[in-house]
């Protein structure tokens, strides 16, 4: 059930099990009527991670024959990656051949983006990995900020020393393991391994695919139906604080084409934004982050009205409220194509 508010707000994502208690619902109500429109379906792929854990932590391997765990830290930037880690840790092979006691002694850095992913990761740490430290989260709103954090004070803790041929010790940063989906940005590996960094400051990154995502077959149908059900009834000349407009929040590039097509904003022959279709529109778009923003601009020539400065309910609300306040008296401006209008972008 949608919450009751003045302005329809469509979240292109799945809700938590109880939509009325979802963080987006509680933070955006009562100003907005919140509707969830699922976009993606996810499949977890934990087998490689289970194999890695068994190879290095199996209780049946004598300590003098055990190979040290090759990574100093894990990077998890989505809740699906966290779910894959949880599935691997709770799997029968890991529980039977490693066990809770040995897992409690594992020392790793856990680097994450955003408050929601950090919250999910804290639950895993409390249950399985109490000796691990979590970095980022609320302090890292996107991958670039997280990578800069890792290059600073946090990742300096995860180093190893090796003996050189002349008998001296050489210190280097341990590699980190990035748990990813099949489709992901490369900003974190590029930043950590940038050729502009001194060689001894670079952090080697290995990637492991632990989930895959695809667009739900019924997404466009569900989104179109929700558009019909939430069509603004009154004139937008009343102002942004009143009924007459609608907000759409995009959480993934994979929702981009279906959203724009359902809104009737795409030119069928070019696949790009039809500027004429935007005239007098009452739908406004907020992107959860820079990745989705850049995709919409690159693929369709569409400029979102707002980009949240952090991927959270607070970031979405702050961005929308700033936009509405700034453009309260400029409802005739056509945003979305060509040169961007008055938009709220994050600092990165």
């Amino acid at each position: 059930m949608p919450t009751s508010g003045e302005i329809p707000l469509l979240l292109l994502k799945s809700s938590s099990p109880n939509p009325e208690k979802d963080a987006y619902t509680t933070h955006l109500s009562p100003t907005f009527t919140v509707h969830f429109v699922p976009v993606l379906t996810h499949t977890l792929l934990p087998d490689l991670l289970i194999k890695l854990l068994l190879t290095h932590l199996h209780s049946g391997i004598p300590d003098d024959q055990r190979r040290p765990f090759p990574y100093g830290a894990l990077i998890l930037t989505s809740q699906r990656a966290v779910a894959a880690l949880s599935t691997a840790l709770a799997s029968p092979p890991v529980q039977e051949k490693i066990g809770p006691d040995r897992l409690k002694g594992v020392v790793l850095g856990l680097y994450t983006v955003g408050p929601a992913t950090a919250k999910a990761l804290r639950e895993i740490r409390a249950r399985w990995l109490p000796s691990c430290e979590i970095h980022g989260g609320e302090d890292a709103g996107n991958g670039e900020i997280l990578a800069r954090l890792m290059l600073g004070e946090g990742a300096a803790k995860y180093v190893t020393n090796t003996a050189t041929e002349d008998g001296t010790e050489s210190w280097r940063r341990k590699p980190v393991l990035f748990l990813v989906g099949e489709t992901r940005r490369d900003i974190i590996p590029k930043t950590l391994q940038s050729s502009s960094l001194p060689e001894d400051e670079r952090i080697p990154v290995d990637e492991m695919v632990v989930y895959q995502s695809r667009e739900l077959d019924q997404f466009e149908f569900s989104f179109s139906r929700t558009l019909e059900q939430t069509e603004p009834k009154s004139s937008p000349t009343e102002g942004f604080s009143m009924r007459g407009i609608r907000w759409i929040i995009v959480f993934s590039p994979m929702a981009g084409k279906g959203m724009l097509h359902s809104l009737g904003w795409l030119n069928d022959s070019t696949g790009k934004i039809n500027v004429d279709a935007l005239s007098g529109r009452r739908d406004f778009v907020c992107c959860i982050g820079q990745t989705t923003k850049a995709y919409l601009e690159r693929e369709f020539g569409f400029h979102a009205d707002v980009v949240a400065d952090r991927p959270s309910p607070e970031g979405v609300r702050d961005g929308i409220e700033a936009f509405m306040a700034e453009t309260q008296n400029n409802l005739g401006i056509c945003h979305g194509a060509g040169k961007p209008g008055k938009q709220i972008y994050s600092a990165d």
Side-chain angles (χ1 to χ4, degrees):
M1 292 291 294
T3 58
S4 178
E6 291 190 349
I7 302 173
L9 185 142
L10 280 53
L11 296 163
L12 304 189
K13 68 185 293 292
S14 299
S15 73
S16 58
N18 187 341
E20 293 184 356
K21 293 185 178 181
D22 188 280
Y24 280 91
T25 300
T26 58
H27 280 86
L28 295 170
S29 301
T31 302
F32 300 94
T33 305
V34 177
H35 301 258
F36 291 90
V37 185
V39 176
L40 304 175
T41 180
H42 308 286
T43 302
L44 301 183
L45 307 170
D47 289 354
L48 287 178
L49 187 53
I50 292 173
K51 182 178 180 181
L52 174 70
L53 295 171
L54 293 176
T55 298
H56 297 280
L57 301 175
H58 195 309
S59 60
I61 303 175
D63 289 341
D64 59 352
Q65 298 178 25
R66 188 184 310 280
R67 289 184 290 171
F69 199 75
Y71 301 104
L74 304 180
I75 305 174
L76 308 95
T77 58
S78 76
Q79 293 188 59
R80 274 75 60 195
V82 175
L85 174 61
S86 178
T87 299
L89 292 171
S91 67
V94 169
Q95 288 300 303
E96 293 170 6
K97 298 179 181 180
I98 299 176
D101 291 341
R102 187 174 291 273
L103 287 175
K104 290 178 181 178
V106 172
V107 179
L108 289 171
L110 302 174
Y111 288 86
T112 189
V113 168
T117 308
K119 179 181 178 182
L121 196 54
R122 281 193 290 268
E123 294 174 359
I124 290 179
R125 182 186 62 177
R127 183 176 184 185
W128 304 116
L129 302 170
S131 299
C132 296
E133 294 184 34
I134 296 177
H135 303 269
E138 293 82 353
D139 298 324
N142 57 54
E144 185 174 0
I145 294 174
L146 182 67
R148 297 299 176 191
L149 174 68
M150 295 182 69
L151 290 170
E153 57 181 354
K157 299 179 180 179
Y158 306 103
V159 296
T160 186
N161 63 316
T162 56
T164 61
E165 292 183 359
D166 61 5
T168 61
E169 288 187 338
S170 174
W171 290 88
R172 64 179 177 83
R173 300 197 184 204
K174 272 190 175 182
V176 298
L177 181 63
F178 190 6
L179 303 183
V180 299
E182 289 183 324
T183 303
R184 67 274 191 186
R185 290 185 71 193
D186 58 2
I187 184 65
I188 291 178
K190 279 187 173 180
T191 303
L192 296 180
Q193 302 173 115
S194 172
S195 59
S196 65
L197 293 170
E199 189 170 351
D200 61 351
E201 293 185 13
R202 300 172 195 170
I203 301 178
V205 181
D206 289 339
E207 296 182 348
M208 178 183 289
V209 175
V210 294
Y211 69 93
Q212 60 184 9
S213 304
R214 67 174 180 83
E215 183 179 319
L216 288 168
D217 294 336
Q218 68 270 28
F219 164 62
E220 270 198 67
F221 172 79
S222 298
F223 181 56
S224 297
R225 185 174 61 180
T226 305
L227 288 176
E228 294 174 359
Q229 295 170 343
T230 60
E231 180 68 27
K233 297 297 191 297
S234 58
S235 170
T237 57
E238 292 179 80
F240 273 107
S241 62
M242 303 296 179
R243 296 182 184 274
I245 64 168
R246 176 172 53 195
W247 279 94
I248 300 165
I249 317 302
V250 192
F251 289 80
S252 166
M254 296 181 74
K257 185 176 182 179
M259 175 195 71
L260 295 173
H261 183 265
S262 296
L263 288 166
W265 293 352
L266 286 183
N267 184 309
D268 291 334
S269 59
T270 66
K272 300 290 185 179
I273 282 296
N274 180 357
V275 178
D276 292 338
L278 299 177
S279 178
R281 67 187 173 100
R282 292 189 285 177
D283 288 297
F284 295 85
V285 175
C286 170
C287 290
I288 195 65
Q290 294 292 330
T291 301
T292 303
K293 161 192 174 286
Y295 175 82
L296 293 177
E297 291 177 358
R298 182 180 66 252
E299 297 297 322
F300 309 108
F302 178 78
H303 295 271
D305 302 287
V306 170
V307 180
D309 65 356
R310 56 199 185 282
S312 66
E314 297 87 350
V316 169
R317 185 178 188 115
D318 290 349
I320 290 176
E321 288 182 345
F323 176 90
M324 292 197 298
E326 184 179 3
T327 58
Q328 183 80 29
N329 299 318
N330 296 286
L331 289 172
I333 294 177
C334 177
H335 300 270
K339 184 178 180 181
K342 296 179 179 179
Q343 300 173 32
I344 310 299
Y345 290 125
S346 63
D348 64 341

